[in-house]
Amino acid sequence: LTMPAVQAKLEAIFKDPDPWLQLPPRQRAEILKPFPDYMKIFLDAYAHPALDSYWKQQNLYPAGNYHKFKDVPMFFISGWYDGTVGGVIDNFEQLSALQSSPKKLMIGPWPHATGTSTCGEAYFGQSAAVDEQALQLDWFNHWLKAEPLRLISPEPVQIFQMGGGVEGEQPHGKIEPGGKWLSFDKWPLPAAGAVNLYLQPKGLLRNSQSVSAGSASFEDDPANPVPTHGGYFHGDCVQDQSILENRADLLSFTMPPLTASTAIGGEAEAHLWISSSAPDTDFIAKLVDVYPNGYSMIVAEGELRVSYRNGPNQLALMAPGTIYPITIYMRPTSNQFAAGHRIRLDISSTDFPRLEPNPNTVTTPGQWTTTTKARNSVYYGGQHPSHIILPLLNEPSSASQRPVVHP
């Protein structure tokens, strides 16, 4: 192809990427032929599906190279809807433990590196907005010019706890979860224990195990995936999950309305017992805050390729129909589920285009050309008590409606 033709194809892909993303990897790579360096990067990623030496290179794998980091003051900023929030927190936590120079962490209700008061369909209040450039100047003026900090909290950790705000849709067209800034001495946040919520028959979720054993199943078709709707993708953040929850390839488990508010802070986990008709498949878990008016606000999400259920470098295919325990980590978050709200867990096997659908085959990653449907099941009760673990938050005695400012 001539370069003008390549440019036209690339412009078409950028305008509407989904048809290109649905192609098998080798077909997708064709557009990169005029750019051999980029094509090599693309194919190399598929050639290394496990956490091997390729991914442990210093520029790709901070976790294995913390001892090489310079011991200098660092200010970490992220958002609960930033796909890298887990890595940012890990970097802060590990470097705080290894080094002596000050480290600070700020997490707001934002996507990647954005400090506004809105995120997707949610308006979190003006206190959620920060001037990121002003924070950067405050930080550098302090350490390079010895000026006092004016905007950055004296405590090492400052987070925005979402939730507890006005109900329903507001005049500006957004829901208003509200929230507040909280400051802490360290991460992990101080825990007030944890609560286990168990999957039940008829799509229920309760804090006691099901008295009867059973399962819920769905057909996963990689050619007709559950569409991505909010979460960590493209800054879409808060979107109403109820438009997806009637799909036959998505399971929902929901608590009765809460009689008292429940605040969480940390990483929620889904401990599931599953089976599949395929030798490999994916499971995706979403933690959802359901408002009294039915709005389903996505709070956190996580995913697992089941063939790597035993670790990121231990490939283990499934025997079709055999029941396996898996754990899905749903990335850190902080949310106050208000009284009258319901806590929900959504489970599916696709989330496209945020995640490339698993072809449900044993084909080498990057080599698949066809996909197959899979019958996937989640078990509850008896010997298979599938449940989620929510980290309850022990809040400080005082909370702020704006980031803490030095006097």
Side-chain angles (χ1 to χ4, degrees):
L1 291 175
T2 63
M3 288 309 294
V6 172
Q7 180 178 344
K9 283 182 173 291
L10 287 171
E11 289 175 349
I13 289 171
F14 278 107
K15 184 177 181 180
D16 183 15
D18 285 7
W20 179 75
L21 291 170
Q22 288 175 315
L23 295 173
R26 288 283 174 175
Q27 285 184 246
R28 263 181 280 147
E30 290 295 311
I31 192 65
L32 299 175
K33 278 186 175 180
F35 315 100
D37 290 343
Y38 289 97
M39 188 171 188
K40 184 179 186 303
I41 293 171
F42 180 90
L43 296 177
D44 281 352
Y46 278 103
H48 297 272
L51 183 60
D52 58 14
S53 59
Y54 175 83
W55 297 109
K56 291 183 178 181
Q57 298 177 69
Q58 182 173 334
N59 60 325
L60 298 176
Y61 190 58
N65 296 281
Y66 287 131
H67 63 286
K68 299 177 182 178
F69 280 55
K70 296 293 185 182
D71 190 348
V72 296
M74 299 182 192
F75 184 28
F76 299 84
I77 303 177
S78 187
W80 297 130
Y81 295 97
D82 179 354
T84 68
V85 64
V88 171
I89 291 173
D90 287 345
N91 292 344
F92 166 80
E93 183 181 359
Q94 296 302 318
L95 291 172
S96 294
L98 288 171
Q99 299 183 352
S100 58
S101 59
K103 307 290 186 288
K104 291 186 182 291
L105 173 69
M106 173 182 278
I107 305 178
W110 313 315
H112 186 64
T114 302
T116 63
S117 58
T118 62
C119 197
E121 293 180 343
Y123 173 70
F124 289 98
Q126 194 54 43
S127 68
V130 300
D131 186 335
E132 188 174 343
Q133 187 177 65
L135 290 172
Q136 293 170 353
L137 288 172
D138 194 40
W139 182 255
F140 289 117
N141 284 341
H142 176 69
W143 292 108
L144 300 180
K145 297 181 179 181
E147 295 181 5
L149 287 171
R150 297 181 176 86
L151 302 176
I152 296 173
S153 168
E155 292 85 357
V157 177
Q158 191 170 23
I159 67 164
F160 189 90
Q161 181 191 86
M162 304 180 292
V166 180
E167 297 294 342
E169 185 175 304
Q170 302 307 303
H172 42 61
K174 306 278 186 182
I175 66 161
E176 191 167 340
K180 56 190 176 185
W181 287 99
L182 303 175
S183 297
F184 300 94
D185 292 333
K186 63 181 180 178
W187 187 284
L189 303 177
V195 60
N196 291 4
L197 302 178
Y198 293 88
L199 280 60
Q200 311 276 337
K202 299 181 180 179
L204 296 178
L205 191 66
R206 298 185 183 276
N207 57 8
S208 59
Q209 294 191 35
S210 173
V211 296
S212 59
S215 65
S217 303
F218 60 92
E219 183 178 79
D220 168 40
D221 182 2
N224 181 29
V226 176
T228 299
H229 192 55
Y232 306 111
F233 187 72
H234 272 196
D236 292 341
C237 304
V238 175
Q239 302 291 330
D240 189 358
Q241 301 303 295
S242 66
I243 71 168
L244 304 175
E245 290 166 344
N246 290 326
R247 287 180 62 107
D249 54 357
L250 186 148
L251 305 176
S252 290
F253 296 87
T254 310
M255 287 193 72
L258 295 169
T259 57
S261 65
T262 299
I264 65 170
E267 188 164 44
E269 303 173 7
H271 294 258
L272 308 176
W273 275 260
I274 59 90
S275 70
S276 178
S277 62
D280 190 21
T281 195
D282 295 349
F283 276 89
I284 293 137
K286 295 180 182 179
L287 180 64
V288 179
D289 185 347
V290 184
Y291 282 61
N293 65 358
Y295 189 95
S296 295
M297 171 180 156
I298 182 170
V299 174
E301 60 184 322
E303 60 283 331
L304 178 72
R305 179 142 296 190
V306 181
S307 57
Y308 287 95
R309 64 192 176 277
N310 298 325
N313 56 1
Q314 301 180 52
L315 177 67
L317 297 174
M318 294 184 290
T322 300
I323 300 175
Y324 297 94
I326 64 171
T327 300
I328 302 174
Y329 299 96
M330 289 186 273
R331 295 184 181 84
T333 191
S334 183
N335 187 67
Q336 183 185 80
F337 296 88
H341 288 216
R342 292 173 292 158
I343 298 173
R344 175 173 292 165
L345 173 68
D346 286 345
I347 300 172
S348 65
S349 286
T350 48
D351 186 5
F352 178 84
R354 185 176 75 87
L355 301 172
E356 179 184 290
N358 192 317
N360 296 331
T361 65
V362 295
T363 308
T364 302
Q367 302 295 325
W368 63 266
T369 57
T370 60
T371 63
T372 186
K373 297 178 182 178
R375 189 71 179 172
N376 293 341
S377 300
V378 178
Y379 297 81
Y380 50 79
Q383 296 181 327
H384 309 112
S386 293
H387 61 282
I388 59 174
I389 302 177
L390 300 183
L392 301 179
L393 180 62
N394 188 9
E395 295 186 25
S397 57
S398 62
S400 173
Q401 290 304 306
R402 66 186 67 238
V404 175
V405 179
H406 276 280

